[in-house]
Amino acid sequence: MTPIRLLLVDDDPLVRAGLSFMMGGADDLEIVGEAADGSEVEALVDRTRPDVVLMDIRMPTVDGLAATERLRSRKDAPQIIVLTTFHADEQVLRALRAGAAGFVLKDTPPAEIIDAVRRVAAGDPVLSPIVTRQLMAHAAGTSADIRRTSARTRVATLNDREREVAVAVGQGRSNAEIGTELFMSVATVKTHVSRILAKLDLNNRVQIALLTYDAGLLEEDGH
């Protein structure tokens, strides 16, 4: 099995050392590089070609948000998991909107961080519907109406079936669960998800979930 290539980004050398020690014990993970600031990330990604970047959100020169935005705008960008000390944080939400596949708290047990890396490498988001709602509630404010109008305009480009799949993704359903609920094969669900991502110019399922929340579709569905 080809190991998952992992890049560690954190300005605290002790945190990097702890993550390196922790991740080094997993046979299916390979740490290909470390960075102390977001300004170093793009060059390291070019050199090491990681599958997943574990990204600290707060760094002194270029923070994790800016680094995430830069990486996710590139072709063939690696998956990104944001490292944070806060459950509900505006910067975390902005990183997710920029294309991060999820986030983990710095005090998360090692086994769960390793599991998060594996899941993201496999294309699964690391974000529960409950956490999504917490984040959205934290960010609610004067821009909510603008976001809703914009999100509804974008969602209107989906056909009825794609909209149903998008709502199910927003509810945190897996492909298998969506297939069972909507009476379609897992392969068909994947096709719909790919079409939704392409139509809405999104990077991953987390962004689909955030957009359905912004558009008010989860509220309409009773979630």
Side-chain angles (χ1 to χ4, degrees):
M1 177 187 295
T2 303
I4 299 166
R5 298 172 63 81
L6 180 65
L7 176 64
L8 304 178
V9 185
D10 196 294
D11 64 321
D12 188 334
L14 292 178
V15 171
R16 294 200 309 276
L19 289 170
S20 181
F21 177 78
M22 177 172 61
M23 300 293 184
D27 294 337
D28 58 341
L29 301 183
E30 177 186 0
I31 298 172
V32 295
E34 297 182 15
D37 190 79
S39 60
E40 306 169 14
V41 171
E42 288 189 273
L44 264 177
V45 166
D46 288 338
R47 188 162 68 248
T48 63
R49 300 296 178 185
D51 301 304
V52 179
V53 178
L54 203 54
M55 181 88 73
D56 185 18
I57 199 71
R58 287 178 170 79
M59 291 177 286
T61 305
V62 175
D63 63 22
L65 170 61
T68 295
E69 290 174 337
R70 291 176 185 177
L71 281 185
R72 292 304 302 176
S73 67
R74 294 162 47 131
K75 184 180 180 181
D76 300 324
Q79 297 295 331
I80 297 171
I81 300 174
V82 171
L83 275 172
T84 181
T85 54
F86 299 95
H87 286 271
D89 182 274
E90 173 65 21
Q91 284 190 301
V92 172
L93 182 58
R94 288 175 62 192
L96 295 171
R97 291 189 187 282
F103 75 92
V104 293
L105 299 176
K106 288 191 175 183
D107 59 358
T108 299
E112 292 183 23
I113 296 181
I114 291 173
D115 180 61
V117 170
R118 289 169 176 155
R119 287 169 55 193
V120 164
D124 297 324
V126 184
L127 195 65
S128 72
I130 292 175
V131 171
T132 301
R133 288 194 287 274
Q134 289 175 341
L135 283 166
M136 297 302 293
H138 173 79
T142 57
S143 63
D145 289 341
I146 297 173
R147 285 202 313 270
R148 174 150 301 191
T149 300
S150 174
R152 284 184 176 273
T153 299
R154 296 176 70 187
V155 168
T157 64
L158 303 178
N159 62 39
D160 290 344
R161 203 56 161 164
E162 289 165 347
R163 181 186 171 108
E164 288 178 327
V165 172
V167 169
V169 170
Q171 293 166 353
R173 305 274 199 274
S174 68
N175 286 339
E177 289 169 338
I178 295 172
T180 299
E181 183 177 312
L182 299 181
F183 305 102
M184 61 178 72
S185 69
V186 170
T188 301
V189 174
K190 290 180 179 179
T191 297
H192 280 304
V193 171
S194 295
R195 287 176 180 167
I196 292 166
L197 292 171
K199 276 190 175 183
L200 301 179
D201 192 26
L202 301 175
N203 291 310
N204 56 43
R205 295 167 73 101
V206 172
Q207 289 183 316
I208 294 176
L210 291 173
L211 189 66
T212 59
Y213 190 103
D214 282 344
L217 300 185
L218 302 188
E219 297 169 16
E220 293 172 4
D221 200 64
H223 288 76

